[in-house]
Amino acid sequence: MINFLLEPLQYAFMARGLAASVMVGIVCAIVGTYVVLRGMAFFGDALAHAILPGIAVGYLIGGGSREPLFWWALVAAILSSLGIGAISRSTKIKEDTAIGIIFAGSFALGVALISTVRSYTVDLAHFLFGDVLGVRASDLWLIAVFGGLVLLAILAFYKEFMVLSFDPVLAATLRLPARLLEFLLLILIAVTIVVSLQTVGVALMVAMLVTPAATAYLLTKRLPVMMALSAAMASISGVIGLYLSYYLSIASGAAIVLTCTAIFGLVWGGQFLRKAV
Amino acid sequence: MSLFEELHKTTQHLRKHRLPHQDGAPILRAEGLGLRYESGVALEGASFVLMTGERLAIVGPNGAGKSTLLKIIAGVLQPTEGRVHIYGNEPGGHICIAYVPQRSQVDWNFPVTVADVVMMGRVGQLGLFRNPRTSDWNLVEQALKIVGMSDLARRQINQLSGGQQQRMFIARALAQEAELMLMDEPFTGLDINSQEEVFRILDDLKARGVTVLVSLHDLKMATQRFDQVMLLNQRMLGIGTPGWVLTPENLLSAYGGRLHWVPTEEGMLALGDTCCGDNES
């Protein structure tokens, strides 16, 4: 058993991958708590897809180098969240429609840009589904620093975000800067997505934001507990997922997401059975 | 609302800046309040004065603008005409106004306990980056005691009865140290016992000098339990004692033909056929 657990760790790429998926799991799960409670799953999914053109530009300019990708993705994520906000506020178009337009448009632009490179299918697959075993030491630092900043912001504005999410009218009568706080939350989601990019990729990102938080939501009725449970389940899913990926030779991002989904299924099924009995 | 205004609000929140209360000014003065949307008029020409400790019921059919009026007074909606003065100043800088929401507008599955929700009333006084102190928790405890819910502090909010839900929000307004409470349909969907419990708390609030505005759809309750009523149907049709305001002519112009007339000892009693203002704007 010990061997079973230790064997993959002799490879540095596995150790780095595990560190990355645990950190990413924790950040995604805690930010995801607000995504679930505020019903922003579609926004999260769209934002993840909308950063593809940013990655593509960074990829083309860097000539395949990974270094600039993070920053390009960050710029794209922040621009898209601003764009979605601007469209839905300035016209009669509803927010989900605005999200759909930006999401599909920028995703298509990203695919088009990447397709100009000959070897594009392999690279595109990495961006879409993640490449956690390709994580380097410098990536770990970026994840730690930016993930840490996101968590600090969530902690600093904890009670304000709670009031804003539970009762926007109370936020207004308490004269909280609601628009700025909402904007900050969008930025935090954007940064979280960029930080998590290498682990699960664009296409599966929404699962990391939504699934552990939703599982925790089923299990508790207190926000701090929900955040802690969500973080615990996401990081455990990261570890289990990577071991599954190693031993069964399946794609790592998919393995992590499937583990999250399986835990959700168990909890939901358990509660369903308990109610039925 | 511009970015500048938001930043201004943020710095005020950080500095905990609040507008002063002018001596002798009424707690609430509304001058020709109106709100027009592109699609039509939600409210127009509401002018009235409310002194500290008064209790006013706002009645009118669904869509009459009762919630709109309450939200304008709270400073949540901006009127397109007229002005609100709270103690002589605009409502935007005050945190002494509490809005008690309609129960149907709340996400009861949100993962918070009763004490968490009541503590939310303290967030305005706390300011950014500060955690609740013992004095804040004491205020929360006191507020829960006043509404008779001390033993339910750790209860999840989705395990409360309708009356308890309503009382929890009143406790939150108390924790906010609100001097003006705006209650949106607090009696809708409550059984008689819970309604009486809320009235007991309203009397308690009056004794504490809290000014209360309540929107209602029950004309009988407004007549029997309130000294002051306002009849609203987009326009303000009258304000004063129930006998003065709820005349057959006024009621007819507010409700049109949608009224039942019931004979009582004092004369005829009008019952609106409107119910459950869930979809009211």
Side-chain angles (χ1 to χ4, degrees):
Chain A
M1 181 66 185
I2 302 260
N3 256 346
F4 177 84
L5 291 177
L6 288 182
E7 190 201 306
L9 291 178
Q10 59 187 304
Y11 302 103
F13 67 84
M14 267 303 277
R16 284 198 299 268
L18 278 170
S21 32
V22 168
M23 287 195 288
V24 161
I26 291 170
V27 179
C28 278
I30 288 176
V31 172
T33 304
Y34 285 111
V35 175
V36 167
L37 290 176
R38 298 171 61 91
M40 297 170 78
F42 184 48
F43 174 82
D45 190 26
L47 198 54
H49 282 80
I51 62 178
L52 196 64
I55 303 171
V57 171
Y59 173 71
L60 293 177
I61 288 178
S65 147
R66 280 277 175 71
E67 209 56 58
L69 288 187
F70 180 87
W71 304 102
W72 281 100
L74 195 60
V75 170
I78 291 170
L79 286 181
S80 324
S81 56
L82 288 179
I84 291 165
I87 291 186
S88 58
R89 244 193 290 282
S90 64
T91 68
K92 63 180 178 185
I93 292 174
K94 286 202 180 111
E95 194 178 30
D96 66 329
T97 310
I99 292 172
I101 294 167
I102 299 267
F103 157 27
S106 21
F107 189 61
L109 179 64
V111 174
L113 285 172
I114 296 172
S115 68
T116 58
V117 179
R118 202 168 300 156
S119 67
Y120 94 102
T121 42
V122 175
D123 299 314
L124 186 63
H126 280 168
F127 300 143
L128 288 186
F129 306 115
D131 180 22
V132 71
L133 300 181
V135 167
R136 295 157 313 155
S138 59
D139 296 327
L140 284 180
W141 277 110
L142 280 178
I143 294 174
V145 169
F146 281 84
L149 284 176
V150 169
L151 292 186
L152 269 181
I154 295 273
L155 188 70
F157 297 98
Y158 174 77
K159 61 187 191 307
E160 282 80 9
F161 281 141
M162 180 161 80
V163 169
L164 193 68
S165 304
F166 177 65
D167 189 348
V169 175
L170 177 69
T173 59
L174 294 178
R175 317 302 168 204
L176 299 182
R179 288 277 285 279
L180 224 56
L181 286 169
E182 258 162 33
F183 177 68
L184 176 66
L185 192 59
L186 296 190
I187 299 285
L188 292 180
I189 296 172
V191 175
T192 304
I193 287 172
V194 174
V195 157
S196 323
L197 203 61
Q198 263 203 298
T199 323
V200 286
V202 162
L204 297 174
M205 183 69 65
V206 69
M208 294 306 288
L209 285 174
V210 166
T211 312
T215 315
Y217 182 56
L218 291 181
L219 289 171
T220 175
K221 284 292 167 195
R222 290 216 68 194
L223 189 54
V225 184
M226 180 174 166
M227 286 179 168
L229 274 178
S230 176
M233 283 186 291
S235 39
I236 290 170
S237 300
V239 174
I240 296 178
L242 270 195
Y243 276 97
L244 285 177
S245 155
Y246 180 85
Y247 283 110
L248 303 178
S249 303
I250 52 177
S252 50
I256 293 172
V257 169
L258 281 175
T259 313
C260 289
T261 316
I263 295 177
F264 175 83
L266 281 175
V267 169
W268 179 77
Q271 293 199 332
F272 183 79
L273 283 179
R274 215 176 53 186
K275 265 182 213 147
V277 171
Chain B
M1 198 176 288
S2 69
L3 181 66
F4 175 75
E5 280 173 56
E6 277 294 309
L7 288 172
H8 184 64
K9 244 193 326 187
T10 312
T11 54
Q12 291 209 333
H13 184 56
L14 276 170
R15 288 164 42 213
K16 295 208 259 177
H17 173 78
R18 306 299 174 206
L19 284 176
H21 292 176
Q22 288 175 13
D23 288 335
I27 186 165
L28 172 62
R29 176 195 295 279
E31 289 168 8
L33 281 186
L35 182 63
R36 267 166 224 283
Y37 295 110
E38 273 175 46
S39 48
V41 179
L43 181 74
E44 63 178 328
S47 299
F48 59 98
V49 171
L50 212 59
M51 302 307 288
T52 306
E54 284 188 313
R55 188 160 93 193
L56 173 72
I58 306 173
V59 292
N62 281 344
K66 300 190 291 281
S67 295
T68 305
L69 177 58
L70 292 181
K71 283 183 178 157
I72 290 175
I73 294 168
V76 176
L77 287 175
Q78 295 301 315
T80 49
E81 298 151 24
R83 289 150 72 85
V84 182
H85 293 284
I86 305 292
Y87 285 124
N89 284 304
E90 303 269 316
H94 293 276
I95 56 166
C96 62
I97 313 169
Y99 179 85
V100 177
Q102 287 187 30
R103 286 180 297 118
S104 58
Q105 313 242 308
V106 174
D107 174 9
W108 292 104
N109 285 317
F110 203 86
V112 280
T113 61
V114 171
D116 290 334
V117 171
V118 177
M119 182 53 88
M120 287 184 196
R122 299 295 309 154
V123 168
Q125 277 90 341
L126 281 171
L128 285 177
F129 310 124
R130 288 198 183 81
N131 284 324
R133 287 171 291 242
T134 324
S135 58
D136 296 301
W137 286 114
N138 287 343
L139 268 170
V140 167
E141 217 169 277
Q142 224 178 313
L144 283 170
K145 199 170 162 201
I146 291 170
V147 302
M149 285 181 66
S150 301
D151 49 333
L152 299 175
R154 314 206 124 262
R155 189 71 70 86
Q156 320 299 339
I157 58 169
N158 65 350
Q159 295 168 347
L160 299 177
S161 70
Q164 290 165 345
Q165 292 175 339
Q166 201 61 55
R167 277 148 58 199
M168 173 184 74
F169 279 120
I170 297 175
R172 186 177 78 179
L174 283 167
Q176 195 182 330
E177 295 175 292
E179 294 168 41
L180 174 60
M181 281 191 203
L182 312 167
M183 301 188 190
D184 205 347
E185 300 275 358
F187 300 103
T188 300
L190 297 191
D191 59 40
I192 299 286
N193 288 337
S194 305
Q195 289 186 351
E196 287 308 318
E197 185 72 11
V198 173
F199 271 116
R200 188 191 62 72
I201 295 166
L202 285 184
D203 290 339
D204 193 347
L205 292 177
K206 193 166 189 171
R208 286 166 195 275
V210 177
T211 314
V212 178
L213 252 81
V214 179
S215 77
L216 287 180
H217 64 263
D218 186 343
L219 289 171
K220 188 175 150 206
M221 185 188 279
T223 311
Q224 293 175 343
R225 309 298 293 262
F226 287 83
D227 309 328
Q228 294 246 69
V229 295
M230 173 197 294
L231 182 63
L232 197 67
N233 188 13
Q234 271 119 44
R235 276 179 43 245
M236 196 178 89
L237 296 166
I239 182 167
T241 59
W244 174 258
V245 174
L246 302 179
T247 58
E249 302 85 71
N250 277 346
L251 288 171
L252 198 66
S253 74
Y255 288 85
R258 296 171 288 159
L259 272 184
H260 304 285
W261 294 90
V262 183
T264 63
E265 300 106 63
E266 306 108 68
M268 296 294 272
L269 179 70
L271 297 177
D273 67 347
T274 57
C275 167
C276 323
D278 293 357
N279 51 4
E280 189 173 328
S281 59

